[in-house]
């Protein structure tokens, strides 16, 4: 048989000529195109969870889930600490109840430390995912925008997420030193949150720090509460306006609740 009519020879000749005519073309792609021969895809390396974490979508999902946990804690903590306005017995009893959760089935403070462990993990993963996403964004655009940006689709809360996050982190460290561990509170009494809060908030500089930090937290929560829906895949034009309403209402309620404590105490509106 004439080689010109040999199908194998013809396929090989066409494959070679096509590969030569298309610089950079993969020979395997050429063979699939002309022969239909399947080329196995490379097997993904690493565990699924590791690959998921390394992706931008995975990091955003982790930020959203950890954000839900942190938002829930912020709201619950606000409700509990507002008991300071009901009197010493109310808030101190509440603090003791947190330590006794799970008794007698579980030893004292086990449930409390389990909740603390979840919160710490959520906080660490939230910060780590935010940092790595920022690095990925910078790597994708090593050269910054050369013209002024009008931020048509970004509001003040979204543009300041990095800075409000840093403020909240620094404030959290100070808050623990002031209200939980005691080194930043000269009159700290372990197991007496009523006394610790009134003494701390009665100092003007401390009250100002708390008020400003709570406002930064509210700004951070406004964008975070809205963006977490998108990261979790909950995005529908019919309901997007309600997501913004929820984010606004949640951040306002929490901010007002937290700010009311140092504000009312430092101004003398509420006294022990």
């Amino acid at each position: 048989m004439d080689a010109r009519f040999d199908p194998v020879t013809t396929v090989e000749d066409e494959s070679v000529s096509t590969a030569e005519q298309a610089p950079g073309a993969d020979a395997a792609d050429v063979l699939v195109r002309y022969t239909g021969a399947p080329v196995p895809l490379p097997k993904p390396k690493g565990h699924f969870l590791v690959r998921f974490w390394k992706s931008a979508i995975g990091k955003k999902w982790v930020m959203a889930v950890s954000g839900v946990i942190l938002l829930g804690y912020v709201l619950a903590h606000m409700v509990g600490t507002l008991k300071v306005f009901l009197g010493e017995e109310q808030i101190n009893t509440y603090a003791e109840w947190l330590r006794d959760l799970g008794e007698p089935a579980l030893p004292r403070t086990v449930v409390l430390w389990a909740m603390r462990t979840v919160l710490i993990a959520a906080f660490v993963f939230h910060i780590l995912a935010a940092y790595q996403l920022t690095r990925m964004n910078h790597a994708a655009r090593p050269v910054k925008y050369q013209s002024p940006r009008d931020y048509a689709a970004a509001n003040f809360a979204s543009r300041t997420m990095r800075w409000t996050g840093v403020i909240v982190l620094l404030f959290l460290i100070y808050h623990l030193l002031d209200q939980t561990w005691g080194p930043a509170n000269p009159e700290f009494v372990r197991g007496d949150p009523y006394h610790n809060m009134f003494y701390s908030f009665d100092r003007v500089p401390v009250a100002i720090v708390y008020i400003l930090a709570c406002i930064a937290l509210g700004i951070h929560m406004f964008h975070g509460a809205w963006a977490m829906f998108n990261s979790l895949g909950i995005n529908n034009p019919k309901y997007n306006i309600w997501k913004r309403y929820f984010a606004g209402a949640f951040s306002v309620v929490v901010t007002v609740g937290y700010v009311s404590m140092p504000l009312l105490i430092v101004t003398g509106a509420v006294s022990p």
Side-chain angles (χ1 to χ4, degrees):
M1 179 184 294
D2 191 342
R4 289 178 301 174
F5 301 100
D6 185 349
V8 175
T9 305
T10 303
V11 169
E12 291 179 353
D13 291 345
E14 290 180 354
S15 300
V16 172
S17 61
T18 304
E20 291 177 351
Q21 293 174 5
D26 191 347
D29 293 339
V30 175
L31 286 176
V32 170
R33 184 183 307 169
Y34 285 93
T35 67
V39 177
L41 296 174
K43 293 183 178 180
K45 298 180 180 179
H47 193 274
F48 164 75
L49 293 178
V50 176
R51 290 185 279 112
F52 182 72
W53 165 252
K54 289 183 177 180
S55 67
I57 294 178
K59 295 183 192 303
K60 290 184 177 181
W61 192 86
V62 169
M63 281 196 69
V65 172
S66 60
V68 171
I69 296 173
L70 294 173
L71 288 176
Y73 165 75
V74 166
L75 179 62
H77 184 62
M78 180 202 71
V79 173
T81 52
L82 281 175
K83 293 180 180 294
V84 70
F85 296 138
L86 300 178
E88 181 176 4
E89 182 180 357
Q90 288 285 338
I91 189 168
N92 286 357
T93 301
Y94 166 72
E96 193 66 21
W97 172 78
L98 288 175
R99 300 183 184 95
D100 294 338
L101 275 175
E103 287 189 325
L106 297 172
R108 190 170 185 265
T109 73
V110 166
V111 173
L112 179 60
W113 274 105
M115 292 189 297
R116 286 173 174 172
T117 302
V118 172
L119 285 173
I120 292 172
F123 203 78
V124 170
F125 277 104
H126 196 76
I127 295 175
L128 188 59
Y131 172 76
Q132 293 189 0
L133 277 172
T134 301
R135 294 294 301 270
M136 292 173 69
N137 290 337
H138 288 171
R141 179 176 287 277
V143 179
K144 296 183 178 180
Y145 288 100
Q146 301 300 307
S147 59
R149 300 176 64 185
D150 58 3
Y151 295 104
N155 54 31
F156 175 78
S158 63
R159 299 199 306 270
T160 58
M161 283 294 283
R162 184 187 309 172
W163 304 114
T164 54
V166 171
I167 293 172
V168 171
L169 174 60
L170 296 176
F171 167 70
L172 176 61
I173 296 172
Y174 174 77
H175 177 64
L176 292 173
L177 292 171
D178 181 43
Q179 298 287 329
T180 304
W181 301 325
N185 192 334
E187 298 293 330
F188 180 79
V189 178
R190 184 170 298 279
D192 193 350
Y194 185 83
H195 168 82
N196 296 334
M197 289 179 66
F198 266 95
Y199 178 80
S200 181
F201 295 158
D202 198 37
R203 295 174 290 171
V204 174
V206 175
I208 292 175
V209 168
Y210 269 84
I211 292 171
L212 294 178
C214 289
I215 293 174
L217 174 63
I219 296 172
H220 194 83
M221 288 189 303
F222 173 71
H223 179 72
W226 179 82
M228 70 179 182
F229 291 104
N230 296 336
S231 298
L232 293 173
I234 306 173
N235 189 4
N236 189 310
K238 294 183 355 183
Y239 309 117
N240 283 347
I241 187 63
W242 294 106
K243 294 190 300 184
R244 188 170 294 276
Y245 288 157
F246 165 78
F250 186 91
S251 59
V252 168
V253 169
V254 172
T255 301
V256 171
Y258 277 115
V259 168
S260 67
M261 289 177 274
L263 182 62
L264 295 179
I265 291 175
V266 75
T267 58
V270 176
S271 57

